[in-house]
Amino acid sequence: MKYAELKAIGLQHGFKRETLWQIDYLQLQAGECVHLRGENGSGKTTLLKVLAGLQRPSAGQVLINQQPVRLGDGRCCYLHQQPYMFDKTVRANLAQVLASRPGAKHEKCERVEQALHWSGLSHHASQAARTLSGGERQALAMARAWLCQPQFWLLDEPIASLDEKGVERCVQLVSQLRQSGAAILMTSHQQGALTALCDSQWQLHQGKLTTEGG
Ligand SMILES: Nc1ncnc2c1ncn2[C@@H]1O[C@H](COP(=O)(O)OP(=O)(O)OP(=O)(O)O)[C@@H](O)[C@H]1O
């Protein structure tokens, strides 16, 4: 993956005139894997959504490769803890991602099969997505994002409700992303195999972000 950089400058956000956090500067680069920590309500989810362009900050800006992040920005994906599934098969959930994109039908079908393989979901391809286990749903959400080839992956509590097998699957997928050179920023209240993949830690505390490692 080629060099990519996400930067936030003078970022501030809050609700009802109260400041949730104020971050003078942050930077996430291709190949980095960062664990964002902070107590409940410290503003981690809000920060990930702002970085992904899903929420506008009260002040400041987020830039990806020097260009402002936009709503629906394909360069950066935000993955929710409980991903939404379309009421279709796993394969159709993947195909939906590519439906409105340019490209020949056979190429799109091939990409979908690659995404099934990448995520380890090939043998669930014809299963209704809403019947998947929590870990399999998380894998499907990652496979859908993978089809868009984002450079930045913002994972919000990806293993919060997963059992051991689900955690293992998630660790494997995040390792694959790391190897591909993607940048990953994840929140997790659990320390373990997933957070061990991270090379630095950021902490949100009382409205300020501190960084260490890397
Ligand atoms: N749309 C909103 N309107 C008002 N307050 C909000 C809104 N979204 C979030 N908040 C508040 O902002 C604070 C930070 O929420 P956020 O979900 O970002 O925290 P978090 O660090 O991710 O928490 P957790 O670890 O519990 O998931 C919380 O007090 C929350 O109630």
Side-chain angles (χ1 to χ4, degrees):
M1 190 165 287
K2 62 180 189 232
Y3 182 77
E5 175 189 67
L6 182 151
K7 260 193 222 174
I9 302 160
L11 212 56
Q12 186 180 328
H13 201 54
F15 301 102
K16 294 184 189 155
R17 295 195 195 129
E18 272 189 36
T19 300
L20 178 59
W21 39 249
Q22 192 169 5
I23 298 166
D24 295 336
Y25 184 79
L26 72 76
Q27 189 182 35
L28 183 65
Q29 292 177 333
E32 271 191 288
C33 188
V34 179
H35 179 197
L36 173 62
R37 301 172 63 194
E39 55 212 27
N40 290 135
S42 55
K44 302 177 298 296
T45 293
T46 308
L47 176 58
L48 294 191
K49 288 182 175 172
V50 166
L51 295 178
L54 298 173
Q55 270 186 30
R56 282 167 73 97
S58 311
Q61 62 177 166
V62 178
L63 301 169
I64 296 182
N65 304 337
Q66 312 297 333
Q67 301 291 326
V69 72
R70 310 173 301 270
L71 184 66
D73 200 309
R75 299 169 298 173
C76 185
C77 72
Y78 167 82
L79 289 191
H80 195 269
Q81 179 184 341
Q82 282 160 340
Y84 177 80
M85 301 285 122
F86 294 109
D87 195 6
K88 298 175 173 185
T89 65
V90 169
R91 184 180 275 113
N93 263 267
L94 292 166
Q96 178 95 29
V97 175
L98 301 179
S100 59
R101 292 177 176 240
K105 195 174 170 197
H106 72 276
E107 281 169 6
K108 290 183 182 181
C109 289
E110 201 174 306
R111 288 287 293 153
V112 166
E113 295 312 308
Q114 287 168 354
L116 285 167
H117 178 73
W118 179 82
S119 58
L121 289 174
S122 295
H123 57 291
H124 293 284
S126 306
Q127 189 177 333
R130 61 190 155 71
T131 64
L132 292 175
S133 73
E136 290 157 359
R137 287 167 84 98
Q138 188 62 251
L140 176 54
M142 290 182 77
R144 285 194 308 210
W146 182 85
L147 281 171
C148 304
Q149 294 288 297
Q151 293 167 313
F152 296 89
W153 291 71
L154 309 182
L155 310 178
D156 202 354
E157 291 289 340
I159 56 168
S161 56
L162 303 190
D163 66 8
E164 215 173 305
K165 196 168 157 219
V167 172
E168 263 174 44
R169 185 194 291 267
C170 186
V171 168
Q172 193 186 345
L173 294 180
V174 173
S175 303
Q176 288 173 201
L177 289 176
R178 280 215 64 182
Q179 280 160 20
S180 73
I184 302 155
L185 175 59
M186 67 173 86
T187 67
S188 180
H189 288 292
Q190 294 153 262
Q191 294 278 359
L194 184 67
T195 54
L197 295 174
C198 297
D199 29 50
S200 44
Q201 299 213 349
W202 295 356
Q203 172 114 22
L204 258 182
H205 182 61
Q206 296 182 342
K208 295 286 174 202
L209 184 76
T210 51
T211 61
E212 60 185 74

